[in-house]
Amino acid sequence: MRKDEKQLRGTLLATVGVAFLLALTLTLQFLMGTSKGLKLMPSGLTVFVLITVNLLLVSIFVLLIGRILVKLWIDSKKGLPGTRFSLKLVVNVLIATIVPALFLFFVAVGFINKSVETWFSERREELVNSAKDIATQFTVYLEKHSKLLCQGAVNDMKREKLLPLNKEDDKKKKWRVQWILKKYRNLFGAKFIDLYFPDGQFYFGTSAKRRSVHKELNIPKMIKEAFYENVAYGFTHKRYYCYIYPNKGNKLALFVAYKLSKSLSLALTNIQKIYQEFSSLKLIKESIKITYIIIFLMISALIIFASAWYALQIAKTVTVPLEALMNATEEVSRGNLNVKVEAKATDELGQLIEHFNRMVADLNVKQKELEQGKVFIETVIESITTGVISINRHMNVTIVNSAAKRILGIKENVINKKYWIAFPEERFSSLYKIIRNMIRKAEAEQHHAEVTMHIEGTPKHLLVKASPIINPTYGRMGVVIVIEDITELVKAQRAQAWEEVARRMAHEIKNPLTPVKLSAQRIKRKIAKLKVDPKETEALMQSADVIIRSVETISRMVSEFSRFAKLPETQLEPCNVRELIEEVVDMYRGLKDIDFEVVLPENLPEKALLDRDQMKAVFMNLIENAIDAMGGKGKITIRASYKEKEKRLVFEVADTGCGIPDEDKEKLFVPYFSKKKGGTGLGLAIVDKIVADHDGYIRVGDNHPKGAIFTIEIPYREAA
């Protein structure tokens, strides 16, 4: 079905619906009355239906007229072609229609008001209101009377020092309270007086039996509400007038009840009933007025709407195609290039729509080409091992690739966040300063820096390069930061330097040690043959022993350096990983106060190409260091895992010792760094070199709740 046919069908349906509602209104209006007065006494439901139907019709017409005017006004503000012409045409037609319609409407309203007012007597209304005032004044009198009673009773209880009241009061105190309540009951003519606590619990009263009021009213709940609102109030219930008086200061409430005579109670009830009935009739009177007024208003609105709609249809022959073209232009500005103008037009307007559709189709093709290029660039950035971060001119993070997240230890999503939120200064101090300086600088220059940062408790050496993003037309568009993790490179350079130092020390120091030791031994033999004082002989012998021991210590240290400098080449051979770990742990299971936990998952490969002896030395060194850190007492956990996607073996050795300070973690694998008494500082340096020879790396972190954890990660080489 074409769009024109749908519009025609909708118009016909709307016309039929309006005609049906109009016919229903006129039918009900006929049933209500004739020209001489009311024919049928209208009920509240009848009046409600009449008002609702007429208001619905008036609302429809007013909304339609308002929609026409508002739409034309908005379109004219947007500057759409033809809208000013349409607005002027519709406004002029409305002015020409509204003036006579309003004149007829006000004349009809005056006639309706005069006719309806004659159906009701003002004298009757005054009589009902007077009776209502008398009943109200009587109720006010009872309320004041009750308040004086309650205040007097409370004051007497204060004077008798009976306050505050407690739930555990004895009978004597309750009888004294009852005596005061009975005195005021008799003095003021009340039926009974009850005392309650703020929580609604009954304390004592003047009546020995429960009245109908107690059974029919939830007095405890009313007491609680009165205390909550801190308001005293009275009300009538059948033949009783009740008054609740909360007293927060003394934490009590009085419930006073007066029993009214049968005639008085009946009179008050009748007055209230008559007043309500008269008010209902008066409400119906106003509703009848409103119904007639709305009927005339509906007819006037229908005439005005018809004129506005007719004027709009004349103007739409020009504005509809232009409006469709403007909407399509807005969609294109929002990035929607799949839009097409379907409006039919002739002459130059039709040619304009045709050229527009052709232009949008060409833009759509170019957009798809740009999106393909964008996907390619994003794939490349995500695949490289170097971290890439991009920040736009609004200081929002737009790009953070996987390598950057891995290097910086970022797990949460930081895209579209401000850079100071994504990279807070307290966590990424060096990186934060580089970004801040680059954004503040006006000149287009690059920034290179080598920084050290602690990521998740592990020191990392990073090479950071920041460059501004410059657009020839718009100037500076943002900043791009490239981050490279050079931690392993720095460690390798340091290890290589220490290897050279160790080699030279072994060469330069070891050669003179043997002559020194031999000379000291010869001195000892010569001293033994000399005939001198025994005390001098003993002193000389001790000095010679010191020289020999010192030479042996230096010789042992040189041997360690020589071992570090000349580690044997790694011999990769099939090795059972589980057996290797179990074998090393079995060597230490005899220790008394050391608990071992070994975690080996099911997916751990049975065999891998490793240097068994060297890896065994690695685990032994880490376990011995853990034992020393725990003081020979604690728990050591050895955990192995296999990253199937990355094909890497991961080993963890965790202890519950004293842990390692952050400032020492970076120097831990540097030769000759040791805080252990008698240590050479070469054990972990040798471990680091063995792991590096397996193309892996080792890092240290904090174990929780205490201790340190060493993590070794090496590539998995499948054994044939």
Side-chain angles (χ1 to χ4, degrees):
M1 186 180 292
R2 295 183 305 172
K3 186 176 180 181
D4 295 337
E5 294 177 354
K6 290 183 178 179
Q7 290 180 347
L8 179 60
R9 182 178 178 183
T11 303
L12 291 174
L13 290 175
T15 304
V16 172
V18 171
F20 174 78
L21 293 175
L22 183 60
L24 177 62
T25 302
L26 294 176
T27 302
L28 292 173
Q29 182 64 27
F30 173 79
L31 293 175
M32 276 190 61
T34 63
S35 59
K36 295 182 180 180
L38 289 174
K39 183 177 181 180
L40 298 175
M41 185 62 185
S43 65
L45 179 61
T46 304
V47 175
F48 175 76
V49 171
L50 283 171
I51 293 176
T52 303
V53 172
N54 285 284
L55 278 177
L56 180 61
L57 288 171
V58 172
S59 300
I60 291 174
F61 293 139
V62 171
L63 286 175
L64 291 174
I65 296 171
R67 180 184 179 277
I68 292 172
L69 292 176
V70 170
K71 188 174 185 302
L72 287 175
W73 182 78
I74 293 175
D75 290 345
S76 66
K77 289 296 182 181
K78 293 180 179 178
L80 295 180
T83 53
R84 293 184 179 180
F85 164 75
S86 301
L87 185 60
K88 287 181 180 179
L89 180 61
V90 172
V91 169
N92 289 329
V93 171
L94 286 176
I95 292 174
T97 308
I98 288 174
V99 173
L102 287 179
F103 175 76
L104 292 175
F105 173 75
F106 285 116
V107 170
V109 168
F111 177 76
I112 291 170
N113 284 329
K114 187 175 181 180
S115 299
V116 174
E117 287 296 333
T118 59
W119 298 342
F120 295 90
S121 171
E122 293 183 0
R123 188 174 184 83
R124 180 181 300 175
E125 183 177 356
E126 291 177 358
L127 181 62
V128 172
N129 290 336
S130 298
K132 175 64 176 175
D133 291 340
I134 292 173
T136 303
Q137 290 297 326
F138 179 72
T139 304
V140 171
Y141 168 76
L142 286 178
E143 185 174 348
K144 292 181 178 179
H145 200 68
S146 302
K147 187 175 182 181
L148 290 174
L149 183 154
C150 295
Q151 290 176 345
V154 172
N155 290 334
D156 278 10
M157 284 187 281
K158 282 184 180 179
R159 213 166 15 251
E160 295 294 331
K161 297 181 180 181
L162 298 175
L163 299 179
L165 304 177
N166 294 307
K167 299 177 183 180
E168 296 80 12
D169 288 341
D170 54 16
K171 290 183 178 180
K172 183 178 179 181
K173 183 176 180 179
K174 289 183 178 181
W175 288 340
R176 292 175 65 191
V177 171
Q178 187 183 37
W179 184 85
I180 294 174
L181 295 179
K182 285 183 177 181
K183 181 181 75 172
Y184 278 89
R185 180 196 65 183
N186 298 331
L187 182 63
F188 284 85
K191 186 64 177 179
F192 64 87
I193 306 173
D194 291 340
L195 269 175
Y196 290 86
F197 289 108
D199 59 358
Q201 185 175 348
F202 177 74
Y203 176 76
F204 213 66
T206 59
S207 179
K209 61 179 181 178
R210 289 175 59 83
R211 304 284 179 174
S212 61
V213 177
H214 295 96
K215 300 176 182 179
E216 296 170 1
L217 296 178
N218 190 350
I219 298 177
K221 181 180 179 182
M222 299 169 72
I223 295 296
K224 291 180 183 178
E225 293 175 352
F227 262 100
Y228 178 76
E229 298 176 1
N230 196 21
V231 175
Y233 65 94
F235 60 93
T236 58
H237 177 74
K238 294 185 178 180
R239 290 183 59 188
Y240 284 92
Y241 176 80
C242 306
Y243 185 77
I244 297 176
Y245 178 78
N247 191 306
K248 281 193 172 182
N250 296 296
K251 297 181 180 180
L252 58 85
L254 282 83
F255 183 87
V256 183
Y258 295 88
K259 191 168 185 179
L260 307 176
S261 64
K262 187 175 182 179
S263 58
L264 179 59
S265 176
L266 182 61
L268 290 174
T269 303
N270 289 335
I271 290 173
Q272 184 68 24
K273 184 178 179 180
I274 293 171
Y275 180 80
Q276 290 177 353
E277 290 178 354
F278 185 81
S279 298
S280 299
L281 289 174
K282 186 177 180 181
L283 180 62
I284 292 176
K285 179 193 75 171
E286 298 298 329
S287 300
I288 293 173
K289 283 185 184 180
I290 293 171
T291 302
Y292 278 105
I293 292 172
I294 292 176
I295 289 175
F296 282 100
L297 184 62
M298 176 199 66
I299 296 173
S300 302
L302 177 61
I303 296 172
I304 295 170
F305 165 72
S307 61
W309 182 82
Y310 179 72
L312 182 64
Q313 296 305 312
I314 296 175
K316 272 187 177 181
T317 56
V318 176
T319 58
V320 169
L322 291 178
E323 181 182 359
L325 187 61
M326 180 61 73
N327 292 335
T329 305
E330 290 180 357
E331 289 294 325
V332 172
S333 66
R334 296 191 189 102
N336 181 14
L337 298 179
N338 295 318
V339 67
K340 185 178 180 180
V341 180
E342 300 290 348
K344 301 297 181 181
T346 57
D347 302 330
E348 288 80 3
L349 189 58
Q351 294 178 3
L352 177 63
I353 292 174
E354 182 180 352
H355 291 317
F356 176 82
N357 289 336
R358 190 182 305 119
M359 178 194 68
V360 172
D362 294 340
L363 288 175
N364 195 12
V365 173
K366 297 294 183 183
Q367 174 87 9
K368 291 179 179 178
E369 293 177 355
L370 289 174
E371 288 178 354
Q372 292 175 355
K374 181 181 178 182
V375 171
F376 173 76
I377 293 174
E378 289 178 349
T379 304
V380 171
I381 292 176
E382 195 67 22
S383 301
I384 60 178
T385 58
T386 303
V388 178
I389 299 172
S390 176
I391 301 172
N392 62 16
R393 64 165 66 185
H394 304 294
M395 294 179 283
N396 293 327
V397 179
T398 56
I399 296 175
V400 178
N401 67 347
S402 300
K405 291 182 178 179
R406 174 179 52 80
I407 293 172
L408 298 177
I410 299 174
K411 296 180 175 59
E412 66 276 7
N413 182 22
V414 296
I415 300 298
N416 294 328
K417 291 184 179 180
K418 299 296 182 182
Y419 77 87
W420 57 82
I421 298 177
F423 312 107
E425 184 176 8
E426 59 271 12
R427 182 178 173 190
F428 305 99
S429 175
S430 303
L431 179 62
Y432 173 84
K433 292 177 181 177
I434 292 173
I435 297 174
R436 182 187 61 188
N437 294 336
M438 281 299 300
I439 291 177
R440 289 180 177 179
K441 286 183 179 179
E443 61 274 10
E445 61 180 23
Q446 296 181 346
H447 180 82
H448 298 262
E450 182 177 337
V451 300
T452 301
M453 298 175 60
H454 285 79
I455 307 298
E456 296 178 347
T458 303
K460 285 188 177 183
H461 294 274
L462 306 178
L463 185 62
V464 181
K465 178 181 178 182
S467 304
I469 303 173
I470 306 298
N471 185 287
T473 304
Y474 302 103
R476 183 186 285 254
M477 301 296 294
V479 178
V480 62
I481 298 99
V482 179
I483 304 173
E484 186 175 356
D485 189 355
I486 59 173
T487 304
E488 298 302 321
L489 177 61
V490 171
K491 287 171 61 177
Q493 290 175 346
R494 291 178 178 176
Q496 186 177 5
W498 275 102
E499 286 181 19
E500 183 63 24
V501 171
R503 190 177 297 110
R504 291 186 179 183
M505 288 181 65
H507 177 73
E508 298 294 337
I509 299 176
K510 193 172 184 179
N511 289 337
L513 288 179
T514 302
V516 172
K517 183 177 180 181
L518 293 174
S519 299
Q521 291 173 348
R522 183 182 299 174
I523 291 172
K524 286 183 66 177
R525 290 194 297 270
K526 292 293 185 180
I527 293 172
K529 295 179 181 181
L530 294 176
K531 296 180 179 180
V532 294
D533 186 8
K535 292 184 179 180
E536 294 181 0
T537 301
E538 184 179 356
L540 292 172
M541 294 293 283
Q542 289 178 353
S543 299
D545 288 337
V546 170
I547 295 173
I548 294 172
R549 286 197 301 271
S550 300
V551 169
E552 290 175 348
T553 300
I554 297 174
S555 179
R556 186 167 57 255
M557 187 180 300
V558 171
S559 298
E560 290 289 337
F561 272 106
S562 178
R563 181 188 171 201
F564 171 69
K566 297 179 180 179
L567 280 173
E569 293 186 4
T570 302
Q571 301 294 328
L572 299 180
E573 57 184 6
C575 175
N576 191 310
V577 179
R578 294 175 182 271
E579 291 182 358
L580 173 62
I581 295 175
E582 292 291 351
E583 180 182 343
V584 175
V585 174
D586 287 342
M587 296 171 60
Y588 296 91
R589 286 195 186 274
L591 297 177
K592 184 177 180 182
D593 295 323
I594 302 295
D595 293 330
F596 285 91
E597 181 183 1
V598 180
V599 181
L600 302 175
E602 294 182 357
N603 70 333
L604 186 68
E606 288 294 330
K607 289 188 177 183
L609 291 179
L610 301 171
D611 189 317
R612 180 183 178 85
D613 293 335
Q614 289 190 0
M615 290 303 297
K616 182 177 179 181
V618 167
F619 287 118
M620 292 174 61
N621 188 287
L622 294 178
I623 291 175
E624 289 176 359
N625 286 342
I627 294 172
D628 291 337
M630 297 187 300
K633 185 177 182 179
K635 180 180 180 181
I636 298 176
T637 303
I638 300 176
R639 184 181 293 104
S641 60
Y642 174 56
K643 297 181 179 179
E644 296 183 3
K645 186 177 180 181
E646 303 174 14
K647 292 196 175 297
R648 298 183 74 84
L649 292 171
V650 181
F651 304 99
E652 295 179 352
V653 179
D655 61 65
T656 57
C658 57
I660 300 172
D662 289 342
E663 60 270 15
D664 292 342
K665 290 176 181 176
E666 184 180 1
K667 300 177 286 185
L668 204 60
F669 301 102
V670 176
Y672 213 65
F673 175 79
S674 176
K675 288 193 172 183
K676 184 169 61 174
K677 185 176 181 180
T680 62
L682 294 174
L684 289 177
I686 294 173
V687 167
D688 183 51
K689 191 171 188 308
I690 292 174
V691 174
D693 289 342
H694 281 77
D695 298 327
Y697 63 87
I698 181 172
R699 61 179 181 270
V700 62
D702 296 326
N703 190 26
H704 297 288
K706 66 175 183 176
I709 180 170
F710 287 82
T711 303
I712 299 171
E713 190 168 330
I714 60 177
Y716 168 66
R717 298 179 178 90
E718 187 175 359

